[in-house]
Amino acid sequence: MLALVSALLLAAPRPASPPPDVPARLLGAALAEGRALDRLEALTDTVGPRLVGSPGAAAAVAWALRTFEADGIRAWAEPVVVPVWVRGEERGEVVATPPARDQALHLTALGNSPGTPPGGVTAEVVEASSLEELAALGERVRGKIVLFQHHMGEGQGYGDVVRLRSRGPAAAARQGAVAALIRSLATASLRDPHTGQTSFGDGPAIPAAALSVEDAQLLHRLARRGPVRVRLVLGCGPGSPATAWSANVVAEVRGREKPDEVVVISGHLDSWDLGTGAVDDGAGVVMAMEALRLIARQPVAPRRTVRAVLYMNEENGTNGGVAYVRRHAAELGRHVAAVEADAGAGRPLGASVGAGPGGRELVQRWLAPLAAMGAAGVREGDGGVDIGPLLHARVPVLELWQEGSKYFQWHHSAADTFDKVVPAELLLSTGAYAVLAWQLAEQPETLPRPPAPREPPWWSTEPLPPPAGVPAPP
């Protein structure tokens, strides 16, 4: 009898279309089950820091694959060549200039920085607050340590000053500087430096580090009294070998009517090594994973395929995003949207949208189920770092828009740990992410494609050479 009942249940036809209350179901399950919180705790506390090319990053790939498998979701790894950079020793101090005495500085190397000579670098500090101001200093930079000052914590946004970190040290090197320092890109600090990537391209490279906000202000005040000399010791540099094989983790729920049309939802697996990457971007990773799990549990699959992509190497390059576009180039015309969550664990406000005319209005309508919780806002955007290559392929891009007033207090610092996450806010954002993904995959209409960006890609279009003698993973 039991076998007969089981056979009848299996033979029963599935509904032809999903029930109209799927968005409410997704949101309710995200809040009631709370799995995103449990998964973020596991990722941050058991896998830990996930610097690209490190054992922690490899452990994160294995963890994600195991987790998808436990959910019953098909998942696989797609190989990515990534840079290997190691941090090593970090020390800095103000060299005594009477009446000032020696003082230790709290600093951390920037990603891709070379190390100093064994005895360190000692030189006078010269300040600049912009790349234009640096250029105007001309020969006065030669032989000096350039300190980039800014006022991010006093009203300027991250986007206004990030180029000082990414491009400033290279510009200082071309003018003959021996090292570069930057005031941490942070809205608050407890003498806690915030790292981040810098890039030298094919030009000269010099040691580069981020100072705590307090120590950058200290050097500024001392400079008003007269010349300031700093000693900098960094043991960082490329690993041996300088590249390694890693992977993006990809998983999907196939669509019922148009399985070849794809909605990408994503976060990035790698993190900086100072903290455990809870808000940047463990939160985005677990929201994407949980959104896919919740969608997979619905009685009917969405109209289109929903594909989660957990990118590798967002922080110290964009190799994961570029590798995905190269690998799936033939499919990009059937990618109807790509969403990224890389703005922390704050409560949801809506979505940022980069699409053709009328795209924002469509998203506004599709987010109506989130209006009661204040998460139906829509604004213009151009996607995150990892889905930037998809925007250049004219795929409509969206970001989960979240409240982020505290995000840059912890971003890229040792303070980016699980305890910074407010559980209810993470779960609300998880539900909102699931609803957004469902609507993009289920609605009969698709977003109009955006025009091709006028600016050239900001990432390297040349792939990194794979590690010598190490075959690519299958």
Side-chain angles (χ1 to χ4, degrees):
M1 177 62 73
L2 183 59
L4 176 60
V5 171
S6 298
L8 289 172
L9 289 174
L10 289 172
R14 292 184 60 160
S17 59
D21 65 343
V22 169
R25 292 183 182 208
L26 293 169
L27 182 57
L31 296 174
E33 296 175 21
R35 288 208 187 181
L37 193 67
D38 296 337
R39 289 185 172 173
L40 183 57
E41 183 177 356
L43 177 61
T44 56
D45 288 357
T46 66
V47 176
R50 305 174 297 282
L51 182 65
V52 64
S54 73
V61 170
W63 172 86
L65 290 170
R66 288 195 310 270
T67 304
F68 279 127
E69 181 181 10
D71 288 341
I73 295 174
R74 176 175 173 259
W76 62 96
E78 297 184 349
V80 180
V81 180
V82 298
V84 179
W85 177 83
V86 294
R87 185 170 294 281
E89 180 183 14
E90 301 178 326
R91 284 190 291 118
E93 62 183 355
V94 179
V95 179
T97 303
R101 303 176 59 194
D102 286 357
Q103 293 192 54
L105 297 171
H106 296 74
L107 54 80
T108 190
L110 296 181
N112 295 326
S113 170
T116 61
V121 170
T122 302
E124 184 180 330
V125 172
V126 59
E127 288 192 18
S129 60
S130 67
L131 297 180
E132 294 75 16
E133 186 175 330
L134 173 69
L137 290 172
E139 281 296 308
R140 284 177 285 173
V141 171
R142 188 167 300 279
K144 304 293 200 315
I145 295 176
V146 173
L147 169 60
F148 291 101
Q149 294 280 10
H150 59 83
H151 301 285
M152 179 177 166
E154 300 168 18
Q156 282 183 297
Y158 181 76
D160 295 332
V161 295
V162 68
R163 70 179 190 147
L164 291 179
R165 189 192 68 210
S166 60
R167 296 166 51 192
R174 291 193 295 270
Q175 288 180 229
V178 296
L181 300 170
I182 183 170
R183 171 174 162 160
S184 286
L185 274 58
T187 52
S189 177
L190 295 175
R191 223 169 187 188
D192 183 20
H194 295 226
T195 190
Q197 182 198 25
T198 195
S199 178
F200 295 98
D202 296 328
I206 55 176
L211 280 174
S212 70
V213 170
E214 294 87 345
D215 286 340
Q217 292 174 330
L218 167 67
L219 293 185
H220 180 73
R221 292 193 303 271
L222 289 175
R224 294 203 304 259
R225 298 173 176 269
V228 177
R229 291 174 63 79
V230 163
R231 180 178 297 113
L232 178 65
V233 178
L234 297 179
C236 55
S240 181
T243 61
W245 286 105
S246 187
N248 295 331
V249 175
V250 184
E252 65 182 23
V253 172
R254 297 286 288 173
R256 71 178 187 277
E257 289 182 9
K258 298 182 177 182
D260 291 337
E261 294 188 2
V262 177
V263 173
V264 167
I265 58 176
S266 63
H268 66 85
L269 267 176
D270 62 305
S271 76
W272 285 107
D273 52 325
L274 302 179
T276 56
V279 301
D280 186 21
D281 183 33
V285 164
V286 300
M287 285 192 283
M289 296 176 77
E290 183 64 356
L292 195 66
R293 185 187 74 86
L294 294 172
I295 289 170
R297 290 178 53 197
Q298 298 310 304
V300 178
R303 193 182 308 270
R304 301 175 187 86
T305 293
V306 179
R307 178 180 293 171
V309 183
L310 309 183
Y311 291 105
M312 180 57 68
N313 192 35
E314 189 269 355
E315 295 293 7
N316 213 16
T318 52
N319 300 67
V322 174
Y324 180 85
V325 165
R326 288 196 178 107
R327 188 180 187 96
H328 296 272
E331 305 171 35
L332 298 184
R334 298 187 297 276
H335 278 49
V336 300
V339 192
E340 183 168 329
D342 188 14
R347 64 181 176 85
L349 301 176
S352 301
V353 181
R360 289 172 62 184
E361 290 75 15
L362 283 175
V363 175
Q364 184 84 68
R365 192 172 79 216
W366 298 341
L367 291 183
L370 301 177
M373 57 184 276
V378 174
R379 63 182 185 181
E380 188 174 350
D382 55 5
V385 170
D386 283 317
I387 59 175
L390 287 166
L391 178 63
H392 278 259
R394 299 194 60 209
V395 176
V397 294
L398 302 92
E399 293 178 86
L400 187 66
W401 176 16
Q402 297 168 258
E403 199 284 322
S405 60
K406 296 182 179 179
Y407 179 70
F408 287 105
Q409 295 181 17
W410 311 311
H411 176 258
H412 291 188
S413 79
D416 184 1
T417 49
F418 179 76
D419 53 283
K420 306 306 185 303
V421 174
V422 178
E425 295 187 359
L426 174 67
L427 298 181
L428 284 169
S429 280
T430 301
Y433 202 179
V435 170
L436 176 60
W438 174 268
Q439 296 287 63
L440 289 166
E442 174 59 25
Q443 294 297 326
E445 304 156 280
T446 59
L447 293 175
R449 292 192 173 270
R454 295 180 180 178
E455 300 80 12
W458 65 85
W459 60 87
S460 171
T461 55
E462 292 297 322
L464 287 173
V470 182

